[in-house]
Amino acid sequence: MSTVLFDEPGPKARRRIRAATALGTLAAVALVALAVRQFAANGQLDAARWQPYATWPMWRYLLDGLWSTFLAAVVSAALSMAFGLALALGRVSPRAWVRGPAAAYVEVVRTIPALLLVYVVLFALPRYGLDLPLFWKLVVPLTVSNAAAYAEIFRAGINSIERGQTEAGLAVGLTRLQTMRLIVLPQAARRVLPSLVSQSVGLLKDTSLGFIVSYGELLYSGKVLAAYNGLLIQTYLVVALIYLVVNASLSKLARTLEARQPTSSVTLRRRIARA
Amino acid sequence: MGVLLEHLPELWQGLIVTFQLTAASFAGAAVLGVLVCALRVSPVGVLRALGTAYVETLQNLPLLVLLVLAFFGLPEIGIKAEPLVTAIVVIAVYEAAYIGEALRSGVNSVSKGQGEAARAIGLTFGQSLRHVVLPQALRTVVQPIGNIFIATTMNTALAGAISVVDLTASAQRVNLVEAQPIPIFVGAGVAYGLIAAAAGFVTGRLERRLVILR
């Protein structure tokens, strides 16, 4: 343990660390005990209230919801990555009339809540004759908003490729487009892969907006289930647990990919965080 | 345009609620975020584990799930609060994970030699933190924290799902009455854009003044 803040602890510091360990453990245990007591005092720990979640039909219903979540997340991720890549290419284009609109899209969309976009698709578009199926009422706003986020990730990746690479490509007679496609993009894609996975965790979290459009994803399934069996806190806790397991696995994948990056990914991450 | 002016009082009220939600939850998140960061960089294993568990849990749960769980679940175990208060607390707890991580990346970006030099000239832990490490750490995270502020503003829109009438929810309500979605939603979008632009302007200025070139 050697960071900017500490050296290897000496005997005195080790004593203090032991004391803090004991106190920290005590505080954590007390917190859990308090929560359990609160649950028990209100009868929420009764076996009858948890027993349904030991049965298969309940889980099958929730896993169906999880499948719909995946479907919405995968389709929106694919669409918004493609759209985002196009926007990123637009933003690094040498032509101002391409750069301007792409930049405007990204800057504007990044400041609008996804929920507002959901309402636009839900209430505004039907008035103008565009009544999308339920699935697309969730996927379209998610795509619109996440494309901007993916665009910034791709742009940071493209900008992180040393200029000499582009110059070399142009020097051997490739066109600008060929240089981008054959030399810059493959390297950029590799570098931003961990960030793409992290952003996809964010997108998967966003699919919970299906709760509002009544698209049967995981959170909405939980709502229906809770209305049916009246086990509000149990149901939403189980739903939360499922989200946690799925997203934590994805986040772990992002970290693994990050660890495999050769160099400079820390600076890149910082650049993406700033973008 | 007319419809916007006609419903200005409701929309204005919604905007005020959005401001309240953002300001209160961001302030809470800042305080809690400092605590989370402190846990994660502490030399005590148990505390580091607690900090990591906090960040991992909160960053991997959708905010809407937390809001719904708190709004419908907490009364079941005898904890009742106003929806506005529930929303503020939940959003603060959620964003604290992000602020904690931003601060931690700031602390980690200070080079090790700085801390070693501070200790070598005999500064105590508190002194080296206050005079050497923190000033550099905070300056590097101005921009990320600004982005978290903007994200917080956008995330407050979800409070509508637990019956808090913020800007998005009031735009939605006005639209239900007037059925003129375009001006109403564009108006609300512009308001969010202005908040974000103001936040971006302030952090941009701050960063230019504070930036450390390494």
Side-chain angles (χ1 to χ4, degrees):
Chain A
M1 187 57 206
S2 148
T3 67
V4 62
L5 294 175
F6 306 104
D7 290 317
E8 281 302 319
K12 228 163 108 188
R14 273 206 295 274
R15 259 202 308 283
R16 268 207 302 268
I17 288 176
R18 269 199 300 276
T21 304
L23 272 178
T25 315
L26 215 64
V29 170
L31 215 64
V32 173
L34 204 69
V36 170
R37 204 192 66 115
Q38 200 68 30
F39 269 79
N42 288 280
Q44 296 295 333
L45 283 184
D46 300 354
R49 298 192 73 96
W50 287 94
Q51 199 270 332
Y53 287 98
T55 61
W56 175 237
M58 208 70 117
W59 277 94
R60 217 190 53 189
Y61 184 74
L62 286 177
L63 291 180
D64 268 353
L66 181 61
W67 174 244
S68 307
T69 289
F70 265 129
L71 221 55
V74 168
V75 173
S76 339
L79 289 177
S80 45
M81 266 188 221
F83 190 15
L85 181 59
L87 284 168
L89 290 176
R91 284 201 82 170
V92 298
S93 155
R95 292 181 190 82
W97 60 269
V98 181
R99 230 169 29 233
Y105 178 93
V106 172
E107 294 302 332
V108 169
V109 167
R110 283 202 312 155
T111 64
I112 298 175
L115 182 59
L116 196 65
L117 294 173
V118 167
Y119 282 148
V120 168
V121 173
L122 207 54
F123 300 109
L125 295 188
R127 262 184 65 82
Y128 301 93
L130 192 63
D131 202 356
L132 298 169
L134 203 48
F135 177 74
W136 296 101
K137 279 187 177 153
L138 180 61
V139 168
V140 167
L142 290 190
T143 301
V144 168
S145 77
N146 280 281
Y150 282 117
E152 285 304 87
I153 294 175
F154 280 122
R155 186 166 72 108
I158 292 170
N159 286 339
S160 82
I161 303 300
E162 297 70 25
R163 239 187 45 203
Q165 297 280 327
T166 308
E167 289 168 352
L170 295 175
V172 297
L174 297 180
T175 65
R176 232 166 221 297
L177 218 63
Q178 283 172 327
T179 311
M180 187 52 91
R181 188 164 57 89
L182 298 171
I183 297 177
V184 177
L185 277 186
Q187 300 184 64
R190 252 189 76 137
R191 285 200 191 167
V192 298
L193 194 57
S195 302
L196 290 181
V197 177
S198 315
Q199 181 59 35
S200 304
V201 172
L203 195 151
L204 200 131
K205 285 160 68 175
D206 282 350
T207 59
S208 61
L209 288 174
F211 183 78
I212 286 151
V213 298
S214 309
Y215 167 71
E217 46 70 58
L218 184 54
L219 184 57
Y220 182 75
S221 302
K223 179 184 180 177
V224 173
L225 203 55
Y228 165 74
N229 62 17
L231 305 174
L232 289 171
I233 200 164
Q234 288 82 0
T235 307
Y236 287 125
L237 276 177
V238 170
V239 166
L241 185 70
I242 299 176
Y243 273 112
L244 193 60
V245 169
V246 171
N247 286 334
S249 323
L250 276 173
S251 303
K252 178 128 180 36
L253 173 68
R255 271 197 303 275
T256 313
L257 291 171
E258 179 107 35
R260 281 175 37 186
Q261 294 279 330
T263 46
S264 78
S265 64
V266 175
T267 12
L268 176 67
R269 258 190 98 89
R270 206 169 296 145
R271 209 177 284 175
I272 291 171
R274 273 150 194 272
Chain B
M1 248 356 247
V3 68
L4 272 184
L5 293 177
E6 205 175 307
H7 290 276
L8 207 54
E10 290 123 288
L11 292 169
W12 179 249
Q13 189 54 41
L15 185 63
I16 300 274
V17 172
T18 289
F19 276 139
Q20 284 174 340
L21 277 169
T22 308
S25 56
F26 188 76
V31 174
L32 209 52
V34 170
L35 203 70
V36 171
C37 171
L39 286 179
R40 288 208 76 178
V41 299
S42 91
V44 183
V46 176
L47 298 185
R48 271 205 309 278
L50 283 177
T52 309
Y54 184 95
V55 170
E56 279 293 296
T57 310
L58 272 299
Q59 286 195 339
N60 285 317
L61 281 176
L63 176 56
L64 192 53
V65 170
L66 292 169
L67 282 169
V68 166
L69 185 59
F71 184 68
F72 294 107
L74 289 184
E76 300 265 297
I77 56 166
I79 300 171
K80 294 190 179 72
E82 292 282 306
L84 184 69
V85 176
T86 307
I88 288 172
V89 172
V90 171
I91 297 172
V93 166
Y94 177 81
E95 298 292 344
Y98 290 89
I99 291 192
E101 283 302 271
L103 291 177
R104 189 171 72 103
S105 82
V107 171
N108 286 340
S109 76
V110 178
S111 57
K112 235 176 77 180
Q114 296 280 328
E116 287 169 352
R119 286 191 289 280
I121 59 171
L123 297 187
T124 65
F125 178 72
Q127 284 173 330
S128 68
L129 205 58
R130 203 168 65 238
H131 298 302
V132 179
V133 179
L134 274 189
Q136 300 187 53
L138 290 179
R139 285 167 173 220
T140 32
V141 297
V142 171
Q143 191 79 41
I145 298 274
N147 284 341
I148 294 173
F149 179 82
I150 294 173
T152 308
T153 312
M154 290 164 58
N155 278 334
T156 58
L158 292 178
I162 60 166
S163 78
V164 175
V165 188
D166 72 316
L167 178 58
T168 299
S170 62
Q172 213 299 78
R173 287 187 173 193
V174 171
N175 175 53
L176 282 184
V177 177
E178 296 288 342
Q180 288 207 34
I182 293 293
I184 296 165
F185 288 135
V186 167
V190 167
Y192 280 108
L194 288 179
I195 299 175
F201 178 75
V202 171
T203 49
R205 287 289 293 268
L206 265 180
E207 182 165 60
R208 266 198 298 287
R209 276 184 43 188
L210 297 177
V211 72
I212 310 169
L213 294 173
R214 287 207 186 87

